[in-house]
Amino acid sequence: MARPHHLAAAAAVAGLASAAAAPTLGAQARPAAAVAGGGRAPSEAQLLRGRALVLNHGCGDCHGGSPDPASEGFLAGYRPDAVPSLEFRIGPCADRPDAQPCFRTRPRNLTPDNATGTGRFTERQLFNALRYGLRPGETPDVEITGTTPGQGNFPAHPKYLAPPMPWPAFRHMADQELRDIAAYLKHAVAPVRNRVPDSEGPPDFWASAYTVALIGPYPAAPFPTAREQRPTLARAVRGTGDRSAPPPRR
Amino acid sequence: MPRSHPLSVRTAVAAALALQVAAAPSTPPAAPARAGPAARTVELTLTAAPARLALRDGGDTTDVWAYDGRVPGPTLDLREGDRVVVHFRNRLPEASTIHWHGLTLPFVADGSPFHPVPPGGSHDYVFTVPRGTAGTYWYHPHPDHRTGAQVARGLYGAIVVRAPDDPLPASLPEHVLVLSDNRFRPGGAIDIADPASPAGRVDAENGREGDVVFVSGRVMPALAIRSGEVQRWRIVNASAARVYRLALEGHRLLHVGSDGGLFARGVERGELTLGVGERAEVLVRGTGAPGTRALLRALPYDRYIPQTRPADWATPRDLLALRYDDGPPVAPPALPEVLRPVAPLDTGRVAARRVMVLTQHLINGKHMDMARVDVRARLGTTEIWEVENLVGMDHPFHLHGFRFQVLDRNGVPEPFPSWKDVVNVPKHETARFVVRFDGFAGKWMYHCHILDHEDHGMMGVLEVRP
């Protein structure tokens, strides 16, 4: 059910047991723009933008339902009876069932129910979850201006969302896009009461699985890196041999 | 066990306390309806200082911080109406306070982080124990960010407040059981983990637990009982984080009181869970045969998030042995049906309803800030607080300055009113309580009583104005 890039996220952390304790996330990140902590009513246009992002990023694939907002259990989180199961096994046991460590993780209820969903979290906390991977239930509701632990409101001991939540990919969305998603989840999804059992995880809350070495820096390295190129028309034609390819944009 | 053991409060207290009861009462408190013994002034000195003690029988000696050289500190035996003057001398190398957990007293006497006593300094705590507050309380330091570290080194003690009209027979042998736990390095030093180490991180998350469990300063003490006898136990959970699910082999417990004293009626229990900071009064009925023995044990209790649940969490722990002597059974004493009626607080006129959202180390998404007031209220008003625990770990919620009555837990109404100052809110559950701000104006803390959580800022400030 999960898409290839989701599985890749899981695979990247499957080797977590061997990952050495390395410093978390680089210091080079740029501060996030101020994020509204809620209060003002979002516009319909913003909610529709957030809705589109939630659908085209496959949030429902893991968080319930499907890319169809009318589907049963849409965004309501893991349910024990759902088929196929939305429970993940992270660690060596992903391929060898008996291997250890083995952590079962479950996508959480993203509907704004107070007791079991995101109702008690602010949009800023949801923003920080998507931008920095910080668990909203364990991270202060503050504006974060750096990614060096202990500085700029970045927690000294960050607690990260369990894999395969693809926040290392989602964080590259623009500030406004993340705000749109948060606004949609908080204001435009109907609350559903569904208590998702807590995800398991290592005592470092995945810090050693989310090092810069493993998930890259935020923001991404300047374009082009060694694996990218600044295309010219000639190279594009020679390189791909595909004459129907559209001309590269400047 | 001989009654002269420190567990036996009546005999121990006078000797231990350097307690001076002033002959002439100074200002008598408001005339009690049924006058008990004349109001008195209880004046004593408590010194917090480093000491070296053998905490475990036959074990190494340990450098501790202790009140009057003892761990736990002396039990304070008070009466309703007492005027209490405690001369606190801080001989520790850092600032400290004494917080009188659960007692209703003036703001300056609360021993909260607002009134630190510097190293080498002194402070007089002066307060009067209100009528109607007989119960079991305790005292411990409460300085900013350092409560856990100071309690772990040995600073805590019990308080008993007695009523002139206590309905239980005075003849019941009484024991104060102060539950605490600690862990030690080889050689006997108290093991306090470096906060940056993996063990330190686990302590920050779970609250610091120890593998050695003490009952009033002793490991696995024995208590003597005669078949047929009924004993009154006052149990204090003075641990930084451990929850005790108590069961006494082969016995049912008659649960007769909680933090703020007796219930209207006793409740039969097979087991009793005591959250951090909570107290219970139970009657132990000697239903065993002469010469037998029963263990008081702490059964497994899963208060942990999966990430840091200790590997041995499911191991039961033995706390003490109850030993029946060989003497012939005695006739059980008659116990009153009605103990102390507790009038429910009026929820009809409520000035405010508040939601306190608990997550790991946070209340309402915030860390504690001494310069901030989180909640403002007026003296004499009534409020309902809904404490929602959103995360997968229990959080014991404690309010300073005012006792409260739990209304419901997870929507299930509390069967009868009782006085509480801590309510343990289990993982993902909600508790509601009603509080009337009868007492003193000031700035009062409310916080998670897992000491590591409190020290990490899981705390807020309630300002109550006249």
Side-chain angles (χ1 to χ4, degrees):
Chain A
M1 45 118 260
R3 297 167 177 198
H5 75 277
H6 302 152
L7 293 178
V13 292
L16 72 114
S18 58
T24 42
L25 300 187
Q28 65 275 59
R30 140 190 74 100
V35 186
R40 266 171 300 121
S43 69
E44 173 117 357
Q46 181 182 22
L47 297 177
L48 290 176
R49 288 198 307 269
R51 180 184 200 245
L53 289 162
V54 163
L55 298 181
N56 65 31
H57 282 76
C59 309
D61 286 1
C62 291
H63 286 278
S66 63
D68 171 9
S71 61
E72 166 92 32
F74 181 62
L75 300 183
Y78 161 86
R79 286 168 196 270
D81 52 349
V83 181
S85 172
L86 292 176
E87 185 174 82
F88 295 89
R89 292 170 152 259
I90 308 293
C93 65
D95 343 296
R96 288 170 291 131
D98 297 330
Q100 290 294 326
C102 188
F103 299 112
R104 286 172 301 164
T105 71
R106 296 113 186 171
R108 299 184 61 83
N109 179 351
L110 297 185
T111 75
D113 180 60
N114 281 347
T116 64
T118 60
R120 293 298 189 198
F121 301 138
T122 63
E123 287 166 56
R124 177 160 64 189
Q125 282 173 300
L126 297 180
F127 178 99
N128 289 341
L130 296 168
R131 169 58 52 79
Y132 304 107
L134 297 171
R135 299 164 70 88
E138 269 117 353
T139 310
D141 176 19
V142 289
E143 185 188 334
I144 294 175
T145 56
T147 53
T148 305
Q151 289 176 28
N153 272 342
F154 197 89
H157 298 283
K159 294 179 186 164
Y160 293 107
L161 290 168
M165 167 66 193
W167 67 268
F170 295 163
R171 68 189 161 148
H172 295 291
M173 285 192 239
D175 290 357
Q176 187 57 50
E177 291 177 308
L178 297 184
R179 268 184 244 141
D180 295 345
I181 292 176
Y184 170 69
L185 294 177
K186 281 285 291 185
H187 298 281
V189 178
V192 175
R193 183 139 301 192
N194 176 36
R195 167 145 301 131
V196 175
D198 293 307
S199 295
E200 299 169 351
D204 74 349
F205 287 83
W206 307 101
S208 53
Y210 288 130
T211 61
V212 175
L214 290 170
I215 64 165
Y218 175 81
F223 179 80
T225 63
R227 313 210 182 276
E228 296 168 309
Q229 58 187 352
R230 216 180 274 285
T232 62
L233 186 54
R235 228 193 301 164
V237 171
R238 244 198 341 266
T240 63
D242 178 3
R243 278 155 203 284
S244 67
R249 278 176 291 161
R250 290 267 148 202
Chain B
M1 158 176 122
R3 291 274 193 274
S4 61
H5 185 271
L7 289 177
S8 170
V9 59
R10 294 228 169 103
T11 46
V13 75
L17 265 185
L19 174 108
Q20 307 135 24
V21 178
S26 34
T27 18
R34 270 166 301 170
R40 51 176 197 169
T41 292
V42 175
E43 186 169 0
L44 59 124
T45 299
L46 274 180
T47 304
R52 199 173 170 84
L53 298 176
L55 294 180
R56 292 165 290 174
D57 291 341
D60 300 301
T61 55
T62 299
D63 286 317
V64 299
W65 289 354
Y67 289 118
D68 288 3
R70 312 172 52 188
V71 176
T75 297
L76 271 57
D77 202 326
L78 306 174
R79 294 188 210 142
E80 290 182 354
D82 278 352
R83 178 169 174 269
V84 182
V85 180
V86 180
H87 305 291
F88 170 51
R89 298 191 305 154
N90 180 8
R91 298 292 174 267
L92 304 171
E94 62 185 49
S96 190
T97 71
I98 306 181
H99 170 56
W100 312 95
H101 181 122
L103 293 183
T104 302
L105 34 62
F107 175 45
V108 287
D110 187 42
S112 81
F114 285 109
H115 299 103
V117 181
S122 306
H123 182 75
D124 289 349
Y125 293 98
V126 182
F127 54 90
T128 298
V129 181
R131 303 281 175 196
T133 62
T136 309
Y137 303 89
W138 62 301
Y139 61 95
H140 60 81
H142 205 314
D144 200 19
H145 296 303
R146 293 288 294 165
T147 301
Q150 295 192 5
V151 172
R153 285 175 169 83
L155 295 170
Y156 51 90
I159 303 171
V160 174
V161 174
R162 299 181 190 282
D165 51 354
D166 192 318
L168 288 169
S171 58
L172 303 184
E174 180 178 300
H175 298 290
V176 178
L177 310 179
V178 181
L179 307 181
S180 66
D181 58 341
N182 217 329
R183 54 177 202 250
F184 299 91
R185 300 216 167 95
I190 294 174
D191 176 11
I192 296 180
D194 172 357
S197 68
R201 296 304 309 145
V202 170
D203 284 352
E205 208 58 48
N206 290 350
R208 180 175 176 275
E209 289 188 336
D211 53 341
V212 184
V213 180
F214 293 91
V215 178
S216 298
R218 300 203 37 208
V219 178
M220 262 302 274
L223 287 181
I225 192 169
R226 170 67 57 90
S227 188
E229 184 180 282
V230 174
Q231 298 190 349
R232 181 176 188 172
W233 291 4
R234 298 172 180 266
I235 312 175
V236 180
N237 182 352
S239 277
R242 188 176 287 285
V243 172
Y244 296 88
R245 206 181 121 211
L246 300 168
L248 180 61
E249 274 178 324
H251 292 68
R252 292 177 68 75
L253 300 170
L254 187 61
H255 188 194
V256 292
S258 60
D259 304 351
L262 294 174
F263 302 148
R265 286 187 159 70
V267 184
E268 291 284 349
R269 299 206 192 278
E271 58 178 66
L272 188 151
T273 299
L274 206 57
V276 177
E278 288 185 310
R279 287 86 65 202
E281 288 184 57
V282 296
L283 298 186
V284 173
R285 290 152 300 180
T287 48
T292 60
R293 181 184 101 127
L295 292 181
L296 178 71
R297 315 178 85 190
L299 304 177
Y301 181 81
D302 184 8
R303 65 179 187 86
Y304 311 95
I305 48 174
Q307 287 82 353
T308 51
R309 183 183 290 120
D312 65 347
W313 76 272
T315 313
R317 287 167 199 275
D318 297 344
L319 301 180
L320 70 73
L322 185 66
R323 283 212 193 108
Y324 284 90
D325 66 24
D326 294 327
V330 293
L335 297 172
E337 185 77 8
V338 174
L339 302 173
R340 183 190 60 169
V342 177
L345 289 176
D346 180 10
T347 53
R349 264 180 303 158
V350 167
R353 291 168 190 272
R354 305 188 192 274
V355 176
M356 297 285 155
V357 174
L358 309 182
T359 56
Q360 287 298 86
H361 297 164
L362 303 166
I363 298 181
N364 290 337
K366 291 185 194 129
H367 282 134
M368 155 83 180
D369 180 349
M370 301 261 293
R372 188 181 68 217
V373 169
D374 297 279
V375 174
R376 287 176 208 280
R378 293 253 167 224
L379 219 48
T381 61
T382 301
E383 298 194 355
I384 291 178
W385 289 24
E386 176 171 334
V387 188
E388 288 183 9
N389 183 354
L390 289 195
V391 291
M393 177 177 282
D394 288 25
H395 290 290
F397 187 90
H398 172 49
L399 174 64
H400 287 210
F402 308 94
R403 52 189 188 162
F404 54 77
Q405 294 176 355
V406 175
L407 293 172
D408 47 46
R409 301 174 196 248
N410 249 9
V412 179
E414 201 70 343
F416 53 88
S418 72
W419 291 115
K420 298 282 295 165
D421 51 64
V422 186
V423 56
N424 186 49
V425 190
K427 50 178 77 170
H428 297 299
E429 292 197 8
T430 294
R432 283 195 323 140
F433 64 74
V434 53
V435 57
R436 197 169 64 204
F437 298 117
D438 286 339
F440 297 88
K443 287 186 180 175
W444 304 97
M445 330 297 300
Y446 53 87
H447 60 88
C448 175
H449 216 287
I450 292 178
L451 300 184
D452 307 76
H453 293 183
E454 163 187 340
D455 286 339
H456 278 86
M458 192 167 177
M459 183 147 65
V461 177
L462 156 73
E463 182 172 29
V464 177
R465 297 211 187 146

Short mmCIF file of all heavy atoms in Angstrom, two decimals, chain B residues 15-49:
data_model
loop_
_atom_site.label_atom_id
_atom_site.label_comp_id
_atom_site.label_asym_id
_atom_site.label_seq_id
_atom_site.Cartn_x
_atom_site.Cartn_y
_atom_site.Cartn_z
N ALA B 15 10.95 11.68 70.57
CA ALA B 15 12.39 11.55 70.71
C ALA B 15 13.10 12.18 69.52
O ALA B 15 14.12 12.84 69.66
CB ALA B 15 12.76 10.08 70.81
N ALA B 16 12.53 11.97 68.35
CA ALA B 16 13.26 12.33 67.14
C ALA B 16 13.21 13.81 66.83
O ALA B 16 14.08 14.34 66.17
CB ALA B 16 12.71 11.54 65.97
N LEU B 17 12.21 14.47 67.25
CA LEU B 17 11.90 15.77 66.69
C LEU B 17 12.58 16.96 67.33
O LEU B 17 12.55 18.03 66.76
CB LEU B 17 10.41 16.03 66.81
CG LEU B 17 9.61 15.67 65.60
CD1 LEU B 17 8.18 16.10 65.81
CD2 LEU B 17 10.17 16.35 64.38
N ALA B 18 13.13 16.79 68.48
CA ALA B 18 13.52 17.96 69.26
C ALA B 18 12.31 18.89 69.31
O ALA B 18 12.37 20.08 69.09
CB ALA B 18 14.71 18.68 68.64
N LEU B 19 11.19 18.25 69.51
CA LEU B 19 9.91 18.95 69.40
C LEU B 19 9.59 19.64 70.72
O LEU B 19 9.58 19.01 71.75
CB LEU B 19 8.84 17.90 69.08
CG LEU B 19 7.41 18.34 69.06
CD1 LEU B 19 6.91 18.35 67.63
CD2 LEU B 19 6.57 17.37 69.86
N GLN B 20 9.40 20.93 70.64
CA GLN B 20 9.05 21.63 71.87
C GLN B 20 7.62 22.10 71.76
O GLN B 20 7.28 22.82 70.83
CB GLN B 20 9.95 22.85 72.06
CG GLN B 20 11.43 22.53 71.99
CD GLN B 20 12.17 23.53 71.14
OE1 GLN B 20 11.73 24.65 70.98
NE2 GLN B 20 13.29 23.11 70.59
N VAL B 21 6.81 21.66 72.66
CA VAL B 21 5.43 22.12 72.66
C VAL B 21 5.34 23.24 73.68
O VAL B 21 5.55 23.05 74.86
CB VAL B 21 4.49 20.96 73.02
CG1 VAL B 21 3.07 21.46 73.07
CG2 VAL B 21 4.64 19.84 72.02
N ALA B 22 5.06 24.41 73.16
CA ALA B 22 5.02 25.57 74.06
C ALA B 22 3.94 25.38 75.10
O ALA B 22 2.84 24.92 74.79
CB ALA B 22 4.77 26.83 73.25
N ALA B 23 4.25 25.71 76.30
CA ALA B 23 3.31 25.48 77.39
C ALA B 23 2.05 26.30 77.21
O ALA B 23 0.94 25.80 77.28
CB ALA B 23 3.96 25.82 78.72
N ALA B 24 2.23 27.58 76.92
CA ALA B 24 1.06 28.45 76.76
C ALA B 24 0.80 28.68 75.27
O ALA B 24 1.68 29.16 74.57
CB ALA B 24 1.30 29.78 77.45
N PRO B 25 -0.40 28.33 74.82
CA PRO B 25 -0.70 28.62 73.41
C PRO B 25 -0.69 30.12 73.19
O PRO B 25 -1.15 30.88 74.04
CB PRO B 25 -2.09 28.03 73.22
CG PRO B 25 -2.67 27.87 74.59
CD PRO B 25 -1.51 27.73 75.53
N SER B 26 -0.15 30.56 72.06
CA SER B 26 -0.13 32.00 71.77
C SER B 26 -1.52 32.45 71.34
O SER B 26 -2.39 32.62 72.17
CB SER B 26 0.93 32.32 70.72
OG SER B 26 1.03 31.26 69.80
N THR B 27 -1.75 32.60 70.03
CA THR B 27 -3.10 32.98 69.63
C THR B 27 -3.89 31.72 69.34
O THR B 27 -3.53 30.97 68.45
CB THR B 27 -3.07 33.83 68.34
OG1 THR B 27 -1.81 33.63 67.74
CG2 THR B 27 -3.36 35.28 68.62
N PRO B 28 -4.96 31.51 70.09
CA PRO B 28 -5.73 30.31 69.79
C PRO B 28 -6.43 30.45 68.44
O PRO B 28 -6.94 31.54 68.14
CB PRO B 28 -6.75 30.24 70.94
CG PRO B 28 -6.75 31.58 71.59
CD PRO B 28 -5.51 32.30 71.19
N PRO B 29 -6.44 29.41 67.63
CA PRO B 29 -7.14 29.50 66.35
C PRO B 29 -8.65 29.56 66.57
O PRO B 29 -9.13 29.33 67.68
CB PRO B 29 -6.74 28.21 65.64
CG PRO B 29 -6.19 27.31 66.69
CD PRO B 29 -5.83 28.14 67.88
N ALA B 30 -9.37 29.90 65.52
CA ALA B 30 -10.82 30.04 65.59
C ALA B 30 -11.43 28.92 66.42
O ALA B 30 -11.08 27.77 66.26
CB ALA B 30 -11.39 30.02 64.18
N ALA B 31 -12.33 29.31 67.30
CA ALA B 31 -12.86 28.35 68.25
C ALA B 31 -13.45 27.14 67.55
O ALA B 31 -14.33 27.28 66.71
CB ALA B 31 -13.93 29.02 69.11
N PRO B 32 -12.96 25.96 67.83
CA PRO B 32 -13.49 24.76 67.19
C PRO B 32 -14.87 24.44 67.73
O PRO B 32 -15.18 24.75 68.89
CB PRO B 32 -12.48 23.69 67.58
CG PRO B 32 -11.81 24.18 68.82
CD PRO B 32 -11.91 25.68 68.81
N ALA B 33 -15.70 23.84 66.90
CA ALA B 33 -17.06 23.51 67.31
C ALA B 33 -17.01 22.56 68.51
O ALA B 33 -17.59 22.82 69.55
CB ALA B 33 -17.81 22.87 66.15
N ARG B 34 -16.30 21.44 68.30
CA ARG B 34 -16.10 20.54 69.42
C ARG B 34 -14.66 20.72 69.85
O ARG B 34 -13.75 20.27 69.17
CB ARG B 34 -16.32 19.09 68.98
CG ARG B 34 -17.75 18.62 69.13
CD ARG B 34 -17.95 17.32 68.37
NE ARG B 34 -17.65 17.51 66.94
CZ ARG B 34 -17.55 16.51 66.08
NH1 ARG B 34 -17.68 15.27 66.48
NH2 ARG B 34 -17.31 16.74 64.81
N ALA B 35 -14.46 21.46 70.89
CA ALA B 35 -13.09 21.78 71.28
C ALA B 35 -12.33 20.51 71.62
O ALA B 35 -12.77 19.72 72.44
CB ALA B 35 -13.09 22.74 72.44
N GLY B 36 -11.22 20.34 70.96
CA GLY B 36 -10.34 19.21 71.30
C GLY B 36 -9.39 19.70 72.35
O GLY B 36 -9.71 20.61 73.13
N PRO B 37 -8.20 19.12 72.34
CA PRO B 37 -7.18 19.61 73.27
C PRO B 37 -6.87 21.06 72.94
O PRO B 37 -7.03 21.50 71.80
CB PRO B 37 -5.98 18.71 72.98
CG PRO B 37 -6.45 17.65 72.03
CD PRO B 37 -7.76 18.06 71.48
N ALA B 38 -6.44 21.81 73.92
CA ALA B 38 -6.15 23.23 73.72
C ALA B 38 -5.14 23.40 72.59
O ALA B 38 -4.26 22.59 72.41
CB ALA B 38 -5.58 23.82 75.00
N ALA B 39 -5.33 24.47 71.81
CA ALA B 39 -4.41 24.74 70.72
C ALA B 39 -3.02 24.94 71.29
O ALA B 39 -2.85 25.48 72.38
CB ALA B 39 -4.88 25.96 69.96
N ARG B 40 -2.04 24.50 70.52
CA ARG B 40 -0.68 24.59 71.03
C ARG B 40 0.21 25.11 69.92
O ARG B 40 -0.18 25.14 68.76
CB ARG B 40 -0.20 23.22 71.50
CG ARG B 40 -0.43 22.17 70.45
CD ARG B 40 0.12 20.80 70.83
NE ARG B 40 0.22 19.99 69.60
CZ ARG B 40 0.83 18.83 69.50
NH1 ARG B 40 1.41 18.30 70.55
NH2 ARG B 40 0.88 18.20 68.35
N THR B 41 1.39 25.52 70.30
CA THR B 41 2.38 25.88 69.31
C THR B 41 3.42 24.79 69.27
O THR B 41 3.94 24.37 70.31
CB THR B 41 3.03 27.23 69.65
OG1 THR B 41 2.04 28.25 69.52
CG2 THR B 41 4.17 27.53 68.69
N VAL B 42 3.66 24.30 68.08
CA VAL B 42 4.69 23.28 67.90
C VAL B 42 5.87 23.97 67.24
O VAL B 42 5.74 24.53 66.16
CB VAL B 42 4.18 22.14 67.01
CG1 VAL B 42 5.29 21.15 66.72
CG2 VAL B 42 2.99 21.46 67.66
N GLU B 43 6.98 23.99 67.94
CA GLU B 43 8.14 24.69 67.42
C GLU B 43 9.30 23.72 67.30
O GLU B 43 9.58 22.96 68.23
CB GLU B 43 8.50 25.84 68.37
CG GLU B 43 9.60 26.71 67.85
CD GLU B 43 9.75 27.98 68.66
OE1 GLU B 43 8.99 28.15 69.63
OE2 GLU B 43 10.64 28.78 68.32
N LEU B 44 9.91 23.70 66.16
CA LEU B 44 11.02 22.77 65.99
C LEU B 44 12.01 23.31 64.97
O LEU B 44 11.70 24.21 64.20
CB LEU B 44 10.53 21.39 65.55
CG LEU B 44 9.73 21.34 64.25
CD1 LEU B 44 10.36 20.38 63.27
CD2 LEU B 44 8.31 20.94 64.54
N THR B 45 13.17 22.73 64.98
CA THR B 45 14.21 23.10 64.03
C THR B 45 14.45 21.91 63.12
O THR B 45 14.52 20.77 63.58
CB THR B 45 15.51 23.45 64.78
OG1 THR B 45 15.24 24.55 65.64
CG2 THR B 45 16.62 23.82 63.81
N LEU B 46 14.52 22.16 61.82
CA LEU B 46 14.89 21.11 60.87
C LEU B 46 16.12 21.61 60.13
O LEU B 46 16.09 22.68 59.52
CB LEU B 46 13.76 20.85 59.87
CG LEU B 46 12.66 19.87 60.25
CD1 LEU B 46 11.66 19.77 59.11
CD2 LEU B 46 13.22 18.49 60.57
N THR B 47 17.15 20.81 60.18
CA THR B 47 18.38 21.18 59.49
C THR B 47 18.62 20.23 58.33
O THR B 47 18.63 19.01 58.52
CB THR B 47 19.58 21.11 60.46
OG1 THR B 47 19.29 21.94 61.59
CG2 THR B 47 20.86 21.58 59.78
N ALA B 48 18.77 20.79 57.14
CA ALA B 48 19.13 19.97 55.98
C ALA B 48 20.64 20.07 55.82
O ALA B 48 21.17 21.18 55.69
CB ALA B 48 18.42 20.46 54.73
N ALA B 49 21.32 18.94 55.83
CA ALA B 49 22.78 18.96 55.77
C ALA B 49 23.30 17.65 55.21
O ALA B 49 22.62 16.62 55.30
CB ALA B 49 23.36 19.19 57.17
#
